[in-house]
Amino acid sequence: MKIVIIGGTGLIGSKTAERLRQKGHDVVAASPNTGVNTITGEGVAEALKGAEVVIDLANSPSFEDTAVLEFFETSGKNLMAAEKKAGVKHHVALSIVGTDRLPESGYLRAKVAQETIIRAAGIPYTILRSTQFMEFLGGIAQSGTVDGIAHLSTGNLQPIASDDVADFVAEAALAAPADGIIEIAGPERARLCDFVTRYLKAIGDSRTVVPDPEARYFGTRLEAGSLVSDNNPRIGRTDFDRWFATAPRK
């Protein structure tokens, strides 16, 4: 069947497209650089012709509060309207575990708005809420680093490898719509500061990590359970050691 992946050239999109093509499906990897833009509407109707499933992996180019909200609201409304006209039978979207628990985060408020648009559209849907990707551990470390010292939250993290995320997204696209939320997570849980310490040690980075319950995670304070799932998540197969052994090095 024809499956359109919005954001199909990104980290998760490219891996999901590969998995679905291997199963014999007609996959359109749609993004602005392939002529499909959900903000302006350019190329969207043409891309969706004959599509049975749309996977939305689009991400905002700006994380500034107003800009990111505008992105997800505009993209979501344009995409859902186009899917209705095209007769799309299943909308799959990737969201984030904890979106509804961290209202201080402008990015997560925008993801809540995106989810609300999906639920209201009347198209059968599956929302996959994922924990943070292992590939983001370096960025998390950098976000908390000042003068060579990383002050990082003691809230829990349960990171998942992007390969496992792509497996779950492809699986959801080929299954019946859940008309609800499915949560996915990695197999190991520990404090965010401890995961980052482990990552920095693995890459030979000697910077000091200071566990700090008040440290902000991209602008918001974390409680112990803010970013992890206790809602019977589907668990990925890749633990940190296996991921790190095979992760590409820059």
Side-chain angles (χ1 to χ4, degrees), residues 6 54-58 72-81 83-84 88-96 99 110-129 177-182:
I6 305 297
V54 172
I55 302 171
D56 186 6
L57 305 176
F72 281 115
E73 287 187 333
T74 302
S75 178
K77 289 174 182 177
N78 287 345
L79 186 56
M80 301 311 288
E83 287 182 30
K84 277 192 170 183
V88 170
K89 298 175 182 177
H90 186 188
H91 179 90
V92 179
L94 184 61
S95 190
I96 302 170
T99 51
K111 293 299 285 185
V112 169
Q114 179 192 30
E115 291 184 6
T116 300
I117 290 166
I118 292 167
R119 285 193 293 266
I123 297 170
Y125 70 92
T126 301
I127 294 172
L128 286 175
R129 283 186 181 173
D179 285 326
I181 294 168
I182 296 170

Side-chain angles (χ1 to χ4, degrees), residues 54-205:
V54 172
I55 302 171
D56 186 6
L57 305 176
N59 203 3
S60 173
S62 169
F63 284 12
E64 188 275 325
D65 286 3
T66 301
V68 72
L69 179 61
E70 183 177 348
F71 176 88
F72 281 115
E73 287 187 333
T74 302
S75 178
K77 289 174 182 177
N78 287 345
L79 186 56
M80 301 311 288
E83 287 182 30
K84 277 192 170 183
K85 289 183 180 179
V88 170
K89 298 175 182 177
H90 186 188
H91 179 90
V92 179
L94 184 61
S95 190
I96 302 170
V97 166
T99 51
D100 48 357
R101 294 196 289 263
L102 295 168
E104 288 184 0
S105 166
Y107 187 86
L108 294 184
R109 289 198 302 271
K111 293 299 285 185
V112 169
Q114 179 192 30
E115 291 184 6
T116 300
I117 290 166
I118 292 167
R119 285 193 293 266
I123 297 170
Y125 70 92
T126 301
I127 294 172
L128 286 175
R129 283 186 181 173
S130 174
T131 54
Q132 299 302 303
F133 304 163
M134 290 190 191
E135 286 81 358
F136 293 169
L137 288 171
I140 292 171
Q142 193 57 38
S143 73
T145 298
V146 178
D147 296 330
I149 298 175
H151 290 263
L152 296 171
S153 173
T154 54
N156 286 328
L157 203 66
Q158 195 167 345
I160 185 170
S162 61
D163 281 331
D164 289 342
V165 176
D167 286 340
F168 285 126
V169 173
E171 178 184 300
L174 300 179
D179 285 326
I181 294 168
I182 296 170
E183 296 195 338
I184 61 176
E188 298 176 281
R189 179 181 295 193
R191 298 188 307 173
L192 181 150
C193 54
D194 294 335
F195 254 117
V196 172
T197 298
R198 189 175 172 188
Y199 171 78
L200 293 176
K201 182 179 179 181
I203 65 171
D205 188 321

Side-chain angles (χ1 to χ4, degrees), residues 29-54:
S31 65
N33 61 17
T34 66
V36 181
N37 191 318
T38 56
I39 298 299
T40 65
E42 177 191 0
V44 175
E46 183 65 28
L48 295 189
K49 283 183 181 177
E52 293 188 44
V53 179
V54 172

